[in-house]
Amino acid sequence: MKNKFLLGLVLTAVAVFLVACGGGGEEALSALQGQVSDLESQLEEAKSMAADAEAKLDEAMAMGDEEGGEMAASTNTLATVQERGTLLCGTGAGASPGFAFIQEDGSWEGFNVDFCKVFAAAILGDPEAIEPVVTTGTTRFPILQSGDADVLSNNTTWTFSRDTALGFDFVPTVFYDGQGMMVRADSGIETLADLDGGSVCVATGTTTEKNLADVFRQLDIDYEAVVFEDTGDTTRSAFAEGRCDGYTTDTSALVGSLVLFDDPSEVKILPDVMSKEPLGPLVRHGDDNWFDIIKWSVNCTIQAEELGITQANVDDMLGSDNPTILNTLGVEGDLGQAIGLNNDFCYQIISQVGNYGEIFTRHLGPDTPFNLSRGVNAQWVDGGLLYSPPFR
Amino acid sequence: MTAIMDGPEATKVSDVIVCRDVHKWYGDFEALKGVNLTVEAGEVVVILGPSGSGKSTFIRCMNRLEEHQEGRIIIDGIELTHDVRNISEIRREVGMVFQQFNLFPHLTVMDNITLAPINVRKWSRDRAEELAMKWLTRVGIPEQADKYPGQLSGGQQQRVAIARALTMQPKILLFDEPTSALDPEMISEVLDVMRDLAKAGYTIVAVTHEMGFAREVAQRIIFMDGGQIVEINSPDDFFNNPTHERTKLFLSQILNH
Amino acid sequence: MAQTTVSPPGSGADIPPPEEQSIGSRVMSYIFDIRFLGVLGQIAFILLLLVGAQRIFSNFGSNVDKLGRAQFICRDGRFAYRCAYDFMDNEAGFDIDDTALDYVNTDSFWWALTNGIVNTFRVGLLALVATTFLGTTMGIARMSDNWLVSRLSLAYIEIIRNTPILVQLLLIYFSVILALPDIKEAVQPFNLPIFLSNRGLIMAWPQFMSSASIWIAFLVLGVIQFQVMWMFLSRREEKTGQESSKFTWGLAGFLIIAAIGWIVSTAVAENEGLLIPNSSRIDEVEDFEKLMLARAGINHLSELAELPQEELDAVTLNVCVLRESSSEANFVNRLASEGIPFKISRNGSPAKAMAKYRDGSCEMFAAPKSVLAAEIATLETPTDHLIVPVKERPLVWSIPRFEKFNIIGGLLLTPEYFALFLGLTIFYAGGLAEVVRAGILSVSKGQTEAARALGLSEGQRLNLIVLPQALRVIIPPLISTYLSLMKDTSLGVAVAFQEVYLVSQTLMNQSGRALQIMIVLMIIYLSISIFFSAILNWYNDRVVIVER
Ligand SMILES: Nc1ncnc2c1ncn2[C@@H]1O[C@H](COP(=O)(O)OP(=O)(O)OP(=O)(O)O)[C@@H](O)[C@H]1O
Ligand SMILES: N[C@@H](CCC(=O)N[C@@H](CS)C(=O)NCC(=O)O)C(=O)O
Ligand SMILES: [Mg+2]
């Protein structure tokens, strides 16, 4: 009681101080409050992770005694998910507008969240049967590794070492991106080289962090990297407060974050593309069937768009005379069974969530504040990189 | 014998302690209600009185361990005011021995004694140690110099405390019930030392319940009650012909005790 | 020992002899012997430990198997568990900017981790010292007779101790430090070369030149002189009993020796140079003024201020230097003191500076002569260029100055370092204040009275009587405060300060070797803990001996 009172007192005092000093105060304060709760939840998470790890250790020990047999059962993610009735989907910290953002009512929304729904629709027949799991740049991999999430759908870049040494499997990329650099509009910085002597805010544990080092070393630029353990909006807030001259992450995330600025016209994104960032869902290595399920759920959304199957017309399409469509939707053949799902899993995805184009447009398209063009994320037939293998 | 002073003119050069109309309050409680006393150089004065009568308060006012609010206290020609220079000068000239010894437990006997001479009088260590040793010998415990207070008996500790006060070469010595915390055998050790000092001509103001000592050593006895001096008398008259009823009552109580 | 019998005083002889006991009760008395039980307890504990360790190791083993072979690839490409840490030799690839050691992102993971450890101590130890001062001050202030002082420190202590450190830290970082003015409007208190902005605290800082070693040798000599002088005078003092100003004499001697050292090392040093084309007609640094006057067509340097900006830009000297080198500070100070306009181009390596010198974007290159001598040979016509000697002092001030977006030169305390330092200090000082207060209160009133009665001043009383006694009560909780503080440096993760925890997080993510790094991290923090408990035990032992 007393503590709360004192805490309130301090916060009020600081608020008064900030308001008196004018400018940015409120933003800083609310950012701060956000920070605190983020960190707190992270701590909680760390604790539960530790407890979980212990349980895992015990489990592993039991397994060691009994050899292989048990192992298969416990790595059957599909069975685990079906039994649980919900899908644990790692979706970032919920501070990434357009991709995974927590709404005022507490619900999650965004491009990445919709892919969680795609998987839930395919596996459980209900797109709402997802449980978003908060992840950050550094916690995401341990969370997936330990089984606290069944799948990550959080703009993680597909890289060699993550796919191999870290023990993950990446499904087809859902967003082809590149790393970008945001600077203040009035800074006079036009290219990366202009950042010589400046400082750059970046989140730790990311490909971004290493790319920054590589690219700037190549350009022989003297710079200061300010490395944040990002718990949501930390890195961007520090940039917004003036800590850095540049802020770098995936360009898509930069565009998304524009809406978080008081005045988005005060910042700009440089045209330079610093790296290739193929972003897509990933699963633990070792459960091939689970990998197939996630892979083909993504392919379904791409295939459907290519075939012109939409949420609106999918029921009509069930009566199509195109055998490719019929195979895709499971009217003919038994593709679904091969991965332990119902044959209509792709129908469920399209009818309840939509095809790739619909998901993209819904969250990132012209009617959103982001207005991203499809660019390389167009279908191969339109000159893009999206290309689903045939449903045969 | 000197009587209670009634005006500044009456102060003689040889009066080392002059207290005039001293009042002291603890909050609302008046502990000293206008006390007057003059002590000559080389005089030994013993203060008697029932518990709570203000004996300690009075004696502690003389070196500013307590602050008096009204009246004047002049020690060795320096008046006790708020001036810190006066206070520290007076404290240098006035040694005090406490009921609870108050030795510094983290210092050896030798360091206890030489601390103030070195830091206040700014003597060299050699000089301070030499004098300290002299006083330790005089109080009869030269062999204890390197021990810590915790390793000594109560009587030995009090003798160290006396040596500590004396090594500062004070003009005046204040004793506040120096034997009250001691076992009977140790009391005489300490009283012997005090008797010795009285003979050596120190000006001494002592609060004590040792009637034998008072009768033998004191030149005057001061009897206090309720924050006032009730009677000042020579030891003989005090014990044999007390003037005040209050004094008689007090004496009858302690003598029957 | 354990079974002493109480005997009447002065009668040691008539203790009854030990009773003859039956076998059974003898056995029982062995079993219940306190020494036997003690040993038994220890054996049981060790057994438990062994069982626990065995379990952990077998768990560990099976987990390691699950991690897969990729985690244990040796440098030669083979697989072996003992190679679990070979990956640490790989290139780290990420940046650590606020470091005390030299680190570039091409260094190894080991080196990155080492930098993290150094950073942990860099912020922890400074916070430890500051906490001690602030906490002691606050603890004493809390007991002050002055109403305002004691209330203020009470408010501080209560607020600080009753809010979580994480909240305070984020508040300090985001709402105080990052809310400071932008670097362009940096606050410069009293016009000193100190700049405070949301890029941190930047201040002028002394930088040693290569000739400093001579000067430092003289300084050491000065210190020795001081000691000798002090000893000599104290001995004389003790003999004569007369006070002499030991300190003043010692200091005077020290200053004289330091001054001689300064002059000698300035005269002897000839390491610094300036590479410049012959055509510039500069043979010594003093010629710059002439060159400037000729270029600008003016009679006196003070007229430069009246030149329009473009003309000024045109006559400004373009100087190449090596980044953060002491030559930079030396030469910049030189030019600045003569009022010559210049522009500095900082380079990562001599080769890069030489490239700029060749293509003319730098008119000159200031560096140690040895570097220049090697580089001049790489020019097409070395004879067209010469190396002008530049005078140096053993110690030069590196003065911060604006360049493009940032201030360069001087000493930089980054906002992240500063926030963590402040956050730790303010939080732990609050707790320490209470410890100090309890310690001081533990010293009885009688001690204070005795000290006062002896004429000790209030300062002496505090220093000689109260604090030494209070310290025995204060030090054990103080050391555990230090320990918690050191462990809480890991909160650097919340304010982007790359101490060992944040660095190891990055390391785990970039290498994928969570298990290996966790183990290293545990060992590091464990060592810190053990170090502090060792100090605590050592102190406790010592105090006990002194006491009784
Ligand atoms: N610090 C104090 N605050 C309030 N009252 C005090 C304080 N010190 C002493 N007194 C009161 O002043 C009166 C005189 O106290 P003092 O200690 O001088 O008595 P005393 O004659 O020395 O008694 P004793 O023989 O028991 O030592 C007592 O009533 C005592 O309660
Ligand atoms: N695509 C890059 C960068 C991703 C990234 O920067 N993610 C930050 C936000 S900017 C984050 O915290 N994401 C939450 C998460 O990954 O769970 C990568 O995979 O390393
Ligand atoms: Mg008393």
Side-chain angles (χ1 to χ4, degrees), chain A residues 61 197 204 220 223 225 243, chain C residues 59 95 97 199 406 416 506:
Chain A
M61 210 178 89
T204 183
D220 188 24
Y223 70 106
R243 174 62 185 92
Chain C
N59 277 352
D95 290 301
D97 263 295
R199 298 289 168 86
N406 265 324
E416 294 74 32
T506 311

Side-chain angles (χ1 to χ4, degrees), chain A residues 10-143:
Chain A
V10 177
L11 287 177
T12 322
V14 171
V16 169
F17 163 72
L18 290 172
V19 170
C21 293
E26 277 112 312
E27 195 202 5
L29 194 67
S30 60
L32 183 71
Q33 276 160 350
Q35 283 278 318
V36 173
S37 59
D38 282 342
L39 273 159
E40 270 165 5
S41 68
Q42 220 194 324
L43 276 175
E44 279 304 303
E45 207 173 85
K47 273 182 211 148
S48 72
M49 262 171 65
D52 235 72
E54 239 165 72
K56 289 259 145 52
L57 232 65
D58 283 344
E59 203 175 286
M61 210 178 89
M63 262 159 31
D65 298 342
E66 288 164 45
E67 306 282 321
E70 279 283 314
M71 196 119 164
S74 80
T75 53
N76 187 343
T77 317
L78 176 61
T80 316
V81 172
Q82 279 170 337
E83 196 177 313
R84 194 193 300 122
T86 54
L87 176 77
L88 299 178
C89 194
T91 42
S96 184
F99 289 89
F101 200 71
I102 302 179
Q103 305 302 112
E104 261 160 31
D105 64 1
S107 67
W108 290 65
E109 231 183 76
F111 181 80
N112 289 337
V113 179
D114 267 11
F115 274 95
C116 294
K117 293 183 179 169
V118 164
F119 308 139
I123 298 156
L124 302 164
D126 175 8
E128 299 308 322
I130 59 164
E131 222 174 283
V133 174
V134 173
T135 60
T136 70
T138 50
T139 60
R140 52 186 164 170
F141 299 133
I143 283 176

